[in-house]
Amino acid sequence: MSRGRALYLQVNGLSTHAWVRGSGPPLVVLPGLGCASWMYVRVSRELARSRTVYVYDPPGHGHSEGMRQLPVCIEQLTDHLAAWLDAAGLRGVPIFGHSLGGEVAFDLAARYPQHAGALIACAPTGVPENPSVLAQMARLMADLPRERPQLALPGMRAYLRCGPRRMLRLAQDQKDHFTGPLLPRIKVPTLLVDGTSDPVIRQWTLDAIRNAIPDAFVCEIRGGTHALTDTFPKTVARYTLDFLHTVMR
């Protein structure tokens, strides 16, 4: 399989990067808080067997430029994503969001209903239960020993690139995000993917999302950790591709 290529677009004055691989209908992958495109190699390779996969770096993440005041909240992440989808000619394609990326995907589908053709939320954080930053950090620390050791160095590189100030501000914004009835406004087909050994995402969070989006599909991965895209890339890809084959015909 082709290693892929880098795509850089100027979006709202910022050079915005995505890693592209595969062929077929497009699928956009959104990273988690502080994460970068290079942390999603394993799952993007599996998805690229049937799709052209764009692993997008938000502003200030990965290889994308950021500004001191951008982004500092989730809505800014969503606004930039919508502009990038327009610039890339990808409006209306399926969106795959991991962790905080799932939260951004929900926000996109609710506030920009023409920009997402379907949603796959993999271990989505913060909706509707938004813990304090300390609680979030404690949960992440509990999850770290369960992840592949090989993810540690790419993850540290990504976090240093994003920076602690930006990560802290985005984590703090989760406490205030989705105070309005956004989830019921999502009308596109939605898949929720959950790991049973994920200390970051609690079962009641997934239950609440399912109640707010009653037509959403739910898949559980036995033993799955928070970084499902890295620990179970083939399973996540299979669920995703089967779902898209069903709903995007």
Side-chain angles (χ1 to χ4, degrees), residues 36-193:
S37 52
W38 56 75
M39 296 175 66
Y40 295 86
V41 171
R42 284 163 63 86
V43 73
S44 66
R45 283 175 177 165
E46 298 300 326
L47 292 168
R49 298 182 186 278
S50 300
R51 292 260 167 181
T52 301
V53 182
Y54 296 77
V55 189
Y56 161 85
D57 279 328
H61 293 66
H63 297 299
S64 292
E65 289 182 336
M67 299 172 63
R68 184 177 180 85
Q69 297 300 322
L70 180 72
V72 295
C73 67
I74 293 167
E75 286 193 353
Q76 288 179 346
L77 289 175
T78 306
D79 293 342
H80 188 274
L81 171 63
W84 178 82
L85 289 169
D86 285 334
L90 295 172
R91 180 189 287 203
V93 307
I95 305 293
F96 178 110
H98 170 246
S99 192
L100 182 68
E103 195 166 342
V104 173
F106 291 142
D107 197 26
L108 180 79
R111 295 200 295 119
Y112 293 89
Q114 304 304 316
H115 283 66
L119 299 183
I120 301 93
C122 184
T125 60
V127 186
E129 181 245 346
N130 295 303
S132 69
V133 173
L134 286 178
Q136 292 183 56
M137 294 302 105
R139 292 182 185 183
L140 286 171
M141 291 302 293
D143 180 66
L144 286 178
R146 310 180 189 198
E147 304 296 352
R148 285 193 323 127
Q150 294 91 333
L151 188 62
L153 286 179
M156 185 60 65
R157 178 186 167 207
Y159 294 154
L160 290 173
R161 167 68 182 90
C162 185
R165 175 179 294 186
R166 192 186 312 277
M167 291 180 65
L168 179 61
R169 287 182 174 179
L170 290 171
Q172 288 174 330
D173 184 61
Q174 285 185 295
K175 293 183 65 177
D176 301 318
H177 191 230
F178 285 110
T179 55
L182 290 183
L183 289 175
R185 288 163 51 185
I186 296 174
K187 303 304 180 185
V188 297
T190 300
L191 172 67
L192 308 176
V193 184

Side-chain angles (χ1 to χ4, degrees), residues 6-31:
L7 172 68
Y8 287 91
L9 296 173
Q10 287 291 320
V11 180
N12 296 338
L14 298 175
S15 176
T16 304
H17 169 267
W19 190 258
V20 186
R21 57 165 38 98
S23 60
L27 170 65
V28 172
V29 174
L30 311 181

